[in-house]
């Protein structure tokens, strides 16, 4: 069991954002997409999924768990594309 799911009331809070970032969350996206190109993000995301699926990891031992991981991968990739568009293709 993950510590994140054991205490959702604790981990549903904002920890890392500064007060300035909380006032301008789009600025966080701007910085993120200025640091990475979309193709780099796709590569990083795929490497994470590939590591989960190809190592001896009990979290992904069942077909349903692997299918869920791939669905989450798709959703994260869509999120990256939307963020990329929001900040103007990383050009901001």
């Amino acid at each position: 069991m993950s510590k994140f799911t054991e205490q959702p009331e604790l981990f549903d809070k904002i920890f890392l954002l500064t007060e300035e970032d909380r006032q301008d969350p789009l600025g966080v996206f701007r910085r993120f997409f200025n640091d990475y190109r979309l193709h780099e993000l796709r590569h990083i995301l795929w490497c994470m999924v590939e590591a989960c699926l190809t190592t001896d990891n009990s979290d992904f031992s069942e077909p349903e768990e692997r299918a869920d991981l791939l669905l989450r991968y798709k959703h994260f990739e869509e999120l990256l594309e939307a963020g990329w568009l929001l900040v103007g293709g990383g050009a901001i």
Side-chain angles (χ1 to χ4, degrees):
M1 182 64 76
S2 167
K3 65 182 177 184
F4 302 111
T5 57
E6 290 175 359
Q7 297 178 314
E9 65 283 347
L10 174 64
F11 290 105
D12 274 343
K13 296 179 180 172
I14 304 298
F15 290 116
L16 300 177
L17 296 182
T18 65
E19 185 57 38
E20 182 180 336
D21 290 338
R22 290 172 189 231
Q23 298 301 316
D24 180 27
L26 190 55
V28 177
F29 283 93
R30 286 187 187 99
R31 288 194 310 272
F32 181 80
F33 287 106
N34 277 333
D35 287 343
Y36 299 99
R37 301 276 311 271
L38 191 54
H39 75 276
E40 293 172 311
L41 294 168
R42 290 181 200 276
H43 174 74
I44 292 166
L45 183 60
W46 182 250
C47 287
M48 291 169 28
V49 169
E50 187 175 42
C52 290
L53 293 177
T54 60
T55 58
D56 189 17
N57 187 330
S58 62
D59 289 337
F60 303 104
S61 60
E62 297 297 320
E64 296 83 15
E65 293 161 339
R66 292 190 298 274
D68 283 346
L69 176 67
L70 292 172
L71 180 62
R72 290 182 189 119
Y73 167 85
K74 178 182 179 278
H75 291 161
F76 273 115
E77 192 170 14
E78 290 171 346
L79 185 67
L80 289 172
E81 288 182 359
W84 183 262
L85 290 174
L86 277 174
V87 300
I92 295 176

